[in-house]
């Protein structure tokens, strides 16, 4: 991917809904492909215990559209066994041919940096070209050295309006940071994009969803990008 193409890919979408339950959402992502930095593939809080044909087909269509796919793996803030995380990465690669790994519930404390360095290296040894770490907050700056993309905010719109950005983030290019915001009123979706950019994050996602799983819909900006093709 050249620099110009990377600059257009501003959206990281965690779409945590089954393709059979909402095929329209997955089709919208295909249409919005040029705007997508990636889609997080999360079958069952990970890859599940066996391949899911619906996800296999959806992943194939997104790959054909040129969308990078990142396999979801929960790290339990550093408490989940490394072999379990690596097993998830391996299944995602084998069953869904993902391009990278999305390490969720990542730790933020410097003491756990070696553990995450090992997970990133193991993931890349298994063929994951991109490692996304999601502590959901600004972690120790050392995590920015490990991740290709670091999620430094995950939360609702009201919290995002008040969020602050530490000075150390200015030492890294904006393409290394992502903000994931839910509970966003439809008329505020573009404001999230502008705010993320102003705060030094070139990648974002803004969805209206709330509750235990707010990531069940395509962001409005992705839908608009698809309509504009």
């Amino acid at each position: 991917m050249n620099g110009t193409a990377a600059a257009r890919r501003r959206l990281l979408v965690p779409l945590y809904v089954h393709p059979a339950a909402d095929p329209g959402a997955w089709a919208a992502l295909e249409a919005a492909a040029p705007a997508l930095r990636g889609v997080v593939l999360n079958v069952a809080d990970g890859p599940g215990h066996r391949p899911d044909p619906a996800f296999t087909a959806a992943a194939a269509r997104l790959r054909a559209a040129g969308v990078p796919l990142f396999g979801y793996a929960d790290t339990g803030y550093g408490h989940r066994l490394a072999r379990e995380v690596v097993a998830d990465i391996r299944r995602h690669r084998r069953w869904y041919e993902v391009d990278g790994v999305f390490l969720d519930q990542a730790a933020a404390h410097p003491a756990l940096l070696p553990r995450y360095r090992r997970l990133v290296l193991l993931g890349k040894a298994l063929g994951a070209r991109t490692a996304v770490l999601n502590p959901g907050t600004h972690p120790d700056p050392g995590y920015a050295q490990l991740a290709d993309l670091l999620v430094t905010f995950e939360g609702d719109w009201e919290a995002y309006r008040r969020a602050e950005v530490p000075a150390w983030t200015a030492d890294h290019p904006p393409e290394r940071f992502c903000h994931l915001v839910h509970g966003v009123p439809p008329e505020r979706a573009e404001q999230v994009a502008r705010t993320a950019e102003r705060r030094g994050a070139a990648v974002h996602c803004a969805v209206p969803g709330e509750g235990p799983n707010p990531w069940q819909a395509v962001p409005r900006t992705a839908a608009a990008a698809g309509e504009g093709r």
Side-chain angles (χ1 to χ4, degrees):
M1 186 187 306
N2 61 39
T4 302
R8 292 196 302 265
R9 292 181 179 269
R10 301 173 57 200
L11 299 175
L12 175 69
V13 180
L15 185 57
Y16 300 164
V17 63
H18 197 278
D22 192 351
W26 290 88
L29 291 183
E30 293 175 55
L36 299 178
R37 177 65 180 86
V39 170
V40 182
L41 203 67
N42 185 5
V43 179
D45 291 330
H49 297 295
R50 61 186 61 83
D52 184 316
F55 273 97
T56 301
R61 289 192 297 268
L62 287 173
R63 284 198 311 275
V67 179
L69 299 176
F70 307 137
Y72 178 98
D74 185 0
T75 70
Y77 300 105
H79 298 296
R80 192 176 180 214
L81 292 175
R83 66 172 178 269
E84 295 177 356
V85 178
V86 171
D88 280 356
I89 297 171
R90 184 177 287 110
R91 293 187 185 110
H92 274 301
R93 287 281 299 152
R94 186 168 67 243
W95 296 344
Y96 305 110
E97 300 180 45
V98 299
D99 305 278
V101 59
F102 183 88
L103 298 177
D104 197 29
Q105 298 198 108
H109 196 278
L112 291 174
L113 277 166
R115 180 185 296 265
Y116 281 89
R117 183 177 295 109
R118 180 168 178 258
L119 288 176
V120 168
L121 290 174
L122 288 169
K124 294 200 169 186
L126 290 170
R129 292 191 294 273
T130 301
V132 184
L133 294 183
N134 180 24
T137 187
H138 286 92
D140 180 87
Y143 287 90
Q145 305 294 334
L146 303 183
D148 299 299
L149 185 62
L150 186 66
V151 180
T152 53
F153 181 90
E154 181 179 355
D156 65 28
W157 163 243
E158 290 302 325
Y160 191 59
R161 293 175 62 189
R162 301 187 300 271
E164 297 182 355
V165 179
W168 65 261
T169 59
D171 296 333
H172 303 274
E175 291 75 21
R176 299 288 292 276
F177 297 111
C178 174
H179 295 165
L180 302 178
V181 190
H182 56 77
V184 180
E187 69 275 11
R188 298 296 187 183
E190 285 294 342
Q191 185 176 343
V192 171
R194 294 192 298 270
T195 302
E197 186 173 2
R198 188 174 67 249
R199 292 176 179 172
V203 183
H204 74 282
C205 184
V207 299
E210 298 177 338
N213 177 18
W215 308 108
Q216 299 185 63
V218 173
R220 186 180 181 87
T221 42
E227 292 168 0
R229 289 187 70 183

